[in-house]
Amino acid sequence: MSALAAFESMVTAVGKAQQAMLEAWLQALPATEPDAALPGGYAAWFQPLAQWAELSRAALDEAGKAPTAELTRLASNWWADQLKLWADFVAGTTPELPAEVMRNNRLGSEAWTENPLFDMIRKSYLLSSHHALNGSHVFDKLSPEMADRLRFHTRQLVEAMSPANFALLNPEVLRRAQETGGQSLVKGMENLARDLAQGKLTMTDETAFEVGRNVATTPGKVVFRNRMFELIHYAPTTAAVFKIPLLIFPPWINKYYILDLTPEKSFIRWAVDQGVSVFVVSWAQASATTADATLDTYVEEGFLAAIEAVQAICDVPCVHTIGYCVAGTTLAVVLALLEARGEADKICSATFFTAQTDFEDAGDLLHFVDDQMLATIEQLGASGVFDGRYLALTFNLLRPTDLMWNYVVNNYLLGKDYVPFDLLYWNSDPTNVPAKWHLAYLKDFYRDNRLAKPGGLTVLGTPIDLDRVRTPAYIQAGKDDHIAPAVSVWKLTRHLKGPVRFVLAGSGHIAGVINPPAANKYMYWSLAEGVPLPETLEAFRAAATETKGSWWPDWIRWLAARSGEEVPARVPGTHPAYPPLADAPGAYVRERIA
């Protein structure tokens, strides 16, 4: 057996051993009811190990595509570096590794460097990681898709195998256990058992927050409800408002209150304070009543129904709209549908928060839409409902150190107390989605990229063509967005034929959007009004001007110019056809699955 094959077998065995350990934990837990199904999500933590081995095998099975000489050189360099490291350790010397090898903040504390043994473990891991990541780039004869997948899963493997993730190899864990008389490990195991029982990773003190009490608190009324959503109309804080109201469509894969966290972070509250009549769609948790939902359902019973209601309540011919993430993708579909029907004037403007419509460069999420993964997703959604905890895990795997392993170490190995954080509370409040629609979304948009092709999708019997859309649009992308990469969001500017303003915000998918002006954080890049957008994002970056702080004031100036004269403030629930059904935040957003 070759050295590479032996290493591959070892990785496969480690992955199976870790999964077996988790299964033993699960079986040891008392079931909440007889024959209760094991909670989902946690076994998938260790799948990158097995996936890495499978990808390596698939790569090497392609005849003539394994760069033998390069792999031999890499293996030789790895052995030489490791032997030198061991020799230095035995000799009692502590040479520094090259800077490109030492880039790992998790292993930079004094606990890792002051003890020669742990310093050697740290450096051995960093060397192995460096060689593994470099080695994943030598398969230059593979298809780009296979090479990208191999690199992605190699990164997952490297993160999973960090010595920081193992109690006996982490000096900070051992020190804390000694200081607490072992109570930190006891508390950590209690945290682990609780998380296994609920099927999700706890990131924050969830008892510190409650929807309607200290998050999602902007006053308003639920004025419409159907099986798909509740429509919230927020109470004005100004005597007069712009004539044209704003209707916000948040992603249905999350709760809407990412836009209404604590008052100082709330985009909704801020927009209301600017004199905008704000309406928000609060999507329902998927259930048996919505299991049959498709794209047609979300467009007809969701987007179009909400637009019609807001038009009637405010007695206006059109509304401003915002679509965030996947809701922005669907908003683009709605614009094309209305354009084809000759009803484009129902929407005055469309704002897109980190929304993709062309998925050719959609980033690491493309690694989750191969045939094997789609078959797994279909199996997990056999009941008609896809568990939102699996979605949360998928997004966590895009940034495993920050969103997963960091909490594994703090919660389970160090037994630390959870820190209250409103954003993490929202992130820990997942949403079930209709399985049929979720699978179709992944296939049609991510895998087949049908929305980018004129007529590639048909909605409510109408072929969809984004190139015909002329609605004024404001497009925001995040410079460091790992879910909707800026280069992917940019592609929408190449489709729309109406006036388009593009803003590149500092930070990522959440912080790049939720950046209130009072915080004075980050920055954004834009072109002067009237300057046409160039062909590429690179050209935009070269020509754009950086502005410190939030992009929200830029957006409200853009919106105000298209909002008509001021009218007396509208009081929610006073329209006879749309009486108040409940106080904001309503009932749908309060439903939790874990």
Side-chain angles (χ1 to χ4, degrees):
M1 180 182 291
S2 68
L4 186 63
F7 182 64
E8 178 187 329
S9 298
M10 181 194 73
V11 171
T12 303
V14 170
K16 290 179 178 178
Q18 295 280 15
Q19 287 182 299
M21 181 185 73
L22 261 293
E23 289 171 2
W25 261 99
L26 291 170
Q27 292 170 358
L29 291 171
T32 55
E33 57 186 69
D35 301 321
L38 296 179
Y42 269 67
W45 282 14
F46 298 96
Q47 286 180 358
L49 304 175
Q51 289 173 338
W52 182 88
E54 291 297 325
L55 281 166
S56 298
R57 183 180 296 109
L60 295 172
D61 282 347
E62 297 188 39
K65 292 189 176 181
T68 306
E70 185 67 13
L71 285 174
T72 300
R73 184 185 67 82
L74 287 170
S76 176
N77 290 343
W78 178 79
W79 277 110
D81 285 344
Q82 291 290 345
L83 288 173
K84 184 178 185 305
L85 184 64
W86 275 97
D88 290 335
F89 173 69
V90 172
T93 59
T94 56
E96 286 300 316
L97 300 179
E100 65 269 18
V101 176
M102 297 296 290
R103 295 172 183 169
N104 192 312
N105 294 331
R106 297 181 70 196
L107 309 179
S109 70
E110 288 185 359
W112 288 97
T113 59
E114 63 187 8
N115 183 294
L117 174 61
F118 289 112
D119 187 47
M120 189 276 295
I121 292 173
R122 175 182 73 116
K123 290 177 178 177
S124 179
Y125 163 74
L126 292 173
L127 274 174
S128 298
S129 301
H130 179 69
H131 285 290
L133 292 170
N134 281 350
S136 67
H137 288 76
V138 306
F139 293 90
D140 54 353
K141 294 182 181 179
L142 294 176
S143 66
E145 294 78 13
M146 174 64 81
D148 283 344
R149 288 181 61 210
L150 184 59
R151 285 190 286 269
F152 173 77
H153 287 293
T154 300
R155 290 196 302 271
Q156 295 286 324
L157 171 69
V158 165
E159 298 289 357
M161 297 306 293
S162 170
N165 301 334
F166 300 89
L168 294 179
L169 299 180
N170 189 329
E172 295 175 327
V173 173
L174 297 177
R175 176 180 294 176
R176 183 169 174 81
Q178 183 179 31
E179 292 172 347
T180 63
Q183 289 305 302
S184 60
L185 295 176
V186 172
K187 185 176 180 181
M189 289 301 99
E190 292 173 349
N191 291 341
L192 174 60
R194 183 174 58 253
D195 282 359
L196 288 171
Q198 68 181 2
K200 70 169 188 174
L201 176 68
T202 299
M203 295 181 171
T204 186
D205 179 5
E206 297 184 11
T207 65
F209 300 97
E210 182 183 354
V211 171
R213 177 172 62 85
N214 52 5
V215 292
T217 60
T218 302
K221 302 289 184 182
V222 174
V223 295
F224 177 86
R225 179 186 294 127
N226 64 15
R227 66 172 182 150
M228 301 302 296
F229 72 94
E230 290 181 329
L231 181 66
I232 302 172
H233 182 190
Y234 288 96
T237 58
T238 55
V241 296
F242 292 119
K243 179 179 179 180
I244 304 302
L246 172 66
L247 173 56
I248 302 176
F249 295 100
W252 56 85
I253 58 176
N254 303 111
K255 300 289 183 67
Y256 85 84
Y257 65 89
I258 184 59
L259 296 168
D260 191 24
L261 291 171
T262 53
E264 63 272 13
K265 297 179 182 177
S266 172
F267 175 83
I268 290 172
R269 187 181 293 264
W270 180 85
V272 169
D273 289 343
Q274 308 311 303
V276 180
S277 290
V278 178
F279 293 78
V280 170
V281 163
S282 175
W283 299 105
Q285 288 272 11
S287 63
T289 62
T290 58
D292 63 335
T294 63
L295 176 57
D296 283 1
T297 313
Y298 273 86
V299 168
E300 186 170 34
E301 298 183 40
F303 284 72
L304 296 182
I307 291 170
E308 179 181 344
V310 175
Q311 284 180 291
I313 291 170
C314 297
D315 190 23
V316 291
C318 65
V319 301
H320 293 307
T321 54
I322 291 177
Y324 193 167
C325 189
V326 294
T329 304
T330 311
L331 177 59
V333 171
V334 171
L335 294 178
L337 173 66
L338 293 177
E339 189 74 49
R341 288 179 171 182
E343 300 175 345
D345 56 359
K346 288 185 175 182
I347 296 180
C348 298
S349 75
T351 295
F352 297 90
F353 291 171
T354 65
Q356 302 175 92
T357 54
D358 184 326
F359 292 78
E360 181 181 3
D361 295 313
D364 286 340
L365 277 174
L366 290 173
H367 301 304
F368 293 87
V369 294
D370 58 43
D371 291 342
Q372 181 180 1
M373 185 62 72
L374 290 174
T376 300
I377 291 171
E378 185 172 13
Q379 181 181 7
L380 292 173
S383 67
V385 174
F386 189 79
D387 193 318
R389 286 169 290 189
Y390 288 113
L391 275 173
L393 176 63
T394 299
F395 290 123
N396 289 348
L397 285 171
L398 297 180
R399 291 173 55 193
T401 294
D402 294 335
L403 297 178
M404 192 167 71
W405 296 116
N406 175 53
Y407 298 102
V408 168
V409 173
N410 285 336
N411 300 357
Y412 307 154
L413 303 187
L414 295 172
K416 289 186 176 181
D417 293 329
Y418 297 111
V419 178
F421 187 18
D422 55 355
L423 178 58
L424 291 178
Y425 176 79
W426 167 83
N427 194 54
S428 301
D429 189 5
T431 304
N432 291 338
V433 296
K436 181 180 178 180
W437 164 224
H438 180 60
L439 186 63
Y441 189 93
L442 294 177
K443 289 180 177 179
D444 292 344
F445 292 87
Y446 274 93
R447 187 189 68 182
D448 300 335
N449 202 18
R450 292 175 61 186
L451 181 56
K453 306 165 186 174
L457 283 175
T458 298
V459 175
L460 298 174
T462 301
I464 298 302
D465 185 356
L466 295 181
D467 293 341
R468 297 181 57 190
V469 174
R470 293 168 294 173
T471 304
Y474 188 104
I475 301 174
Q476 177 268 339
K479 181 176 70 71
D480 303 317
D481 197 326
H482 63 289
I483 294 175
V487 67
S488 185
V489 174
W490 170 265
K491 292 177 183 293
L492 180 56
T493 69
R494 303 299 86 199
H495 286 285
L496 302 182
K497 296 301 182 285
V500 174
R501 181 160 179 77
F502 181 86
V503 167
L504 181 65
S507 199
H509 197 71
I510 301 299
V513 175
I514 311 305
N515 184 24
N520 197 28
K521 293 175 63 177
Y522 308 125
M523 71 293 292
Y524 68 93
W525 293 264
S526 62
L527 300 178
E529 279 287 351
V531 176
L533 292 175
E535 288 295 318
T536 66
L537 178 61
E538 291 73 17
F540 170 85
R541 284 173 167 160
T545 299
E546 178 182 318
T547 303
K548 298 296 183 182
S550 172
W551 55 270
W552 293 6
D554 181 84
W555 170 80
I556 197 64
R557 286 192 296 270
W558 180 88
L559 193 78
R562 294 161 175 80
S563 297
E565 71 277 10
E566 290 188 339
V567 299
R570 304 172 176 111
V571 178
T574 56
H575 192 289
Y578 296 91
L581 305 178
D583 289 333
Y588 285 175
V589 74
R590 298 179 190 272
E591 297 178 15
R592 291 182 64 95
I593 62 175

Short mmCIF file of all heavy atoms in Angstrom, two decimals, residues 57 63 87 173 266 279 341 352 363 421 491:
data_model
loop_
_atom_site.label_atom_id
_atom_site.label_comp_id
_atom_site.label_asym_id
_atom_site.label_seq_id
_atom_site.Cartn_x
_atom_site.Cartn_y
_atom_site.Cartn_z
N ARG A 57 -10.00 9.64 -2.91
CA ARG A 57 -10.10 8.40 -3.66
C ARG A 57 -10.63 8.67 -5.07
O ARG A 57 -10.11 8.14 -6.06
CB ARG A 57 -11.00 7.41 -2.94
CG ARG A 57 -11.11 6.05 -3.62
CD ARG A 57 -12.03 5.12 -2.85
NE ARG A 57 -11.49 4.83 -1.54
CZ ARG A 57 -12.00 5.28 -0.40
NH1 ARG A 57 -13.06 6.07 -0.44
NH2 ARG A 57 -11.48 4.96 0.75
N ALA A 63 -7.72 8.04 -13.94
CA ALA A 63 -6.45 7.59 -14.50
C ALA A 63 -5.63 8.76 -15.04
O ALA A 63 -6.13 9.61 -15.75
CB ALA A 63 -6.70 6.58 -15.62
N ALA A 87 13.59 16.28 15.94
CA ALA A 87 15.00 16.40 16.33
C ALA A 87 15.21 17.64 17.19
O ALA A 87 15.94 17.59 18.20
CB ALA A 87 15.88 16.45 15.08
N VAL A 173 -7.30 23.52 28.02
CA VAL A 173 -8.31 22.66 28.62
C VAL A 173 -7.76 21.98 29.87
O VAL A 173 -8.43 21.93 30.92
CB VAL A 173 -8.79 21.61 27.60
CG1 VAL A 173 -9.71 20.58 28.25
CG2 VAL A 173 -9.50 22.28 26.43
N SER A 266 -31.57 47.70 15.16
CA SER A 266 -32.72 47.37 14.32
C SER A 266 -32.78 48.21 13.04
O SER A 266 -32.96 49.43 13.11
CB SER A 266 -34.02 47.55 15.11
OG SER A 266 -35.15 47.40 14.26
N PHE A 279 -43.42 47.71 6.25
CA PHE A 279 -44.12 46.43 6.38
C PHE A 279 -43.08 45.33 6.25
O PHE A 279 -42.13 45.44 5.47
CB PHE A 279 -45.17 46.26 5.28
CG PHE A 279 -46.33 47.21 5.35
CD1 PHE A 279 -46.20 48.52 4.91
CD2 PHE A 279 -47.56 46.78 5.82
CE1 PHE A 279 -47.27 49.40 4.96
CE2 PHE A 279 -48.64 47.65 5.87
CZ PHE A 279 -48.49 48.96 5.44
N ARG A 341 -45.83 40.27 -17.40
CA ARG A 341 -47.29 40.44 -17.35
C ARG A 341 -47.73 41.88 -17.66
O ARG A 341 -48.92 42.16 -17.71
CB ARG A 341 -47.80 40.08 -15.96
CG ARG A 341 -47.78 38.59 -15.64
CD ARG A 341 -48.30 38.39 -14.21
NE ARG A 341 -48.51 36.99 -13.89
CZ ARG A 341 -49.00 36.55 -12.72
NH1 ARG A 341 -49.32 37.43 -11.78
NH2 ARG A 341 -49.18 35.26 -12.51
N PHE A 352 -31.78 44.94 -2.96
CA PHE A 352 -31.31 43.57 -2.76
C PHE A 352 -30.19 43.56 -1.73
O PHE A 352 -29.16 44.20 -1.91
CB PHE A 352 -30.80 42.99 -4.08
CG PHE A 352 -31.85 42.88 -5.15
CD1 PHE A 352 -32.06 43.94 -6.04
CD2 PHE A 352 -32.62 41.74 -5.28
CE1 PHE A 352 -33.04 43.85 -7.03
CE2 PHE A 352 -33.59 41.64 -6.27
CZ PHE A 352 -33.80 42.70 -7.14
N GLY A 363 -19.63 30.32 -4.61
CA GLY A 363 -18.76 30.02 -3.49
C GLY A 363 -18.90 28.61 -2.95
O GLY A 363 -19.33 27.68 -3.65
N PHE A 421 -25.63 37.16 23.47
CA PHE A 421 -25.35 37.89 22.23
C PHE A 421 -26.58 37.76 21.34
O PHE A 421 -26.94 36.65 20.94
CB PHE A 421 -24.11 37.33 21.55
CG PHE A 421 -23.63 38.12 20.37
CD1 PHE A 421 -24.02 39.44 20.15
CD2 PHE A 421 -22.76 37.55 19.45
CE1 PHE A 421 -23.57 40.16 19.06
CE2 PHE A 421 -22.29 38.26 18.35
CZ PHE A 421 -22.71 39.57 18.15
N LYS A 491 -23.24 39.99 -10.31
CA LYS A 491 -23.76 39.54 -11.59
C LYS A 491 -25.18 40.07 -11.87
O LYS A 491 -25.58 40.20 -13.02
CB LYS A 491 -23.74 38.01 -11.67
CG LYS A 491 -22.33 37.42 -11.71
CD LYS A 491 -22.38 35.90 -11.71
CE LYS A 491 -20.98 35.29 -11.68
NZ LYS A 491 -20.22 35.56 -12.92
#
